[in-house]
Amino acid sequence: MNKLKMIVLLVVLAGCKQQATKEQEHAAHTKTDTTVIVSKPVFQPLRLENPAHELLLETYWQLQAALVESNAFGARKAALLLEEATKQVKNKKVIVEKAIAILQEADLEKQRNHFSVISQELIQLVESEGIREGAAYVAFCPMAMEDKGAYWLTQEKEVINPYFGASMLTCGSIEKTLE
């Protein structure tokens, strides 16, 4: 069974590489002035009671950063890491399913839809478990998901929107502080 999983992963990663090449070729023929460069603030690492949950958050931050940059290929790579991190955590079936869905999806908007569900799950996890050290923030964009709105978890007090990337980078507000 593990060999089968490895073969599937290799096939998916090979497909990701081909897709990345196509995306790079397409990007070379389009405007390049939409690249988002986000400076990383210095913040205290978020520490939870369960180290496996911290690994989930680390991979979630990578996924979020890729979506902020509108990098579908980067989101797929981060989703693979997130899916692997969920193996250390019980009862996170929804996160696994959505991470796999992002891994298999090249469309950025669909990836962001899956990210919204993952965000809800991780917000609930952090709220229920509590934070041992550091802080996290629950941000909300009212225009995400076709004006239905969507939340995400962030380590920054500043809004950097993963649902719209450069087109609406600061759309939204911090709704709650988790400490």
Side-chain angles (χ1 to χ4, degrees):
M1 187 65 173
N2 283 338
K3 288 182 182 181
L4 179 61
K5 280 181 117 177
M6 288 301 290
I7 292 170
V8 170
L9 278 175
L10 290 173
V11 169
V12 168
L13 288 175
C16 288
K17 186 174 182 180
Q18 286 178 332
Q19 181 64 30
T21 303
K22 289 177 185 175
E23 289 171 5
Q24 290 167 349
E25 289 172 6
H26 176 70
H29 297 292
T30 60
K31 288 185 176 181
T32 58
D33 62 346
T34 58
T35 302
V36 178
I37 299 174
V38 179
S39 62
K40 300 270 184 183
V42 176
F43 46 79
Q44 184 177 357
L46 185 61
R47 300 287 180 225
L48 303 175
E49 294 301 324
N50 185 335
H53 293 166
E54 290 178 22
L55 182 58
L56 272 180
L57 287 176
E58 286 301 317
T59 57
Y60 173 80
W61 305 138
Q62 292 174 31
L63 174 58
Q64 181 182 84
L67 294 173
V68 165
E69 295 170 358
S70 297
N71 181 346
F73 178 69
R76 292 169 83 180
K77 289 188 338 187
L80 177 61
L81 296 174
L82 180 61
E83 191 265 336
E84 285 294 317
T86 56
K87 291 178 181 177
Q88 305 299 318
V89 181
K90 295 179 182 178
N91 302 321
K92 292 300 164 205
K93 183 179 178 182
V94 173
I95 294 175
V96 172
E97 289 171 356
K98 294 301 177 180
I100 290 170
I102 291 171
L103 180 60
Q104 296 171 343
E105 184 59 63
D107 181 76
L108 194 56
E109 294 311 310
K110 290 178 182 174
Q111 289 177 337
R112 287 175 167 146
N113 287 335
H114 298 304
F115 173 77
S116 173
V117 176
I118 291 170
S119 294
Q120 287 290 345
E121 290 288 317
L122 286 177
I123 290 168
Q124 290 174 0
L125 174 89
V126 172
E127 285 178 328
S128 67
E129 181 172 315
I131 296 174
R132 183 168 34 111
E133 183 180 329
Y137 306 93
V138 177
F140 179 75
C141 175
M143 298 177 70
M145 305 301 118
E146 298 179 3
D147 292 329
K148 293 176 186 164
Y151 292 91
W152 73 96
L153 193 61
T154 180
Q155 287 183 281
E156 305 166 27
K157 290 181 185 178
E158 175 185 345
V159 172
I160 300 175
N161 191 325
Y163 295 109
F164 290 106
S167 65
M168 295 177 66
L169 189 61
T170 60
C171 178
S173 60
I174 300 297
E175 298 288 311
K176 189 187 304 186
T177 301
L178 305 175
E179 297 181 288

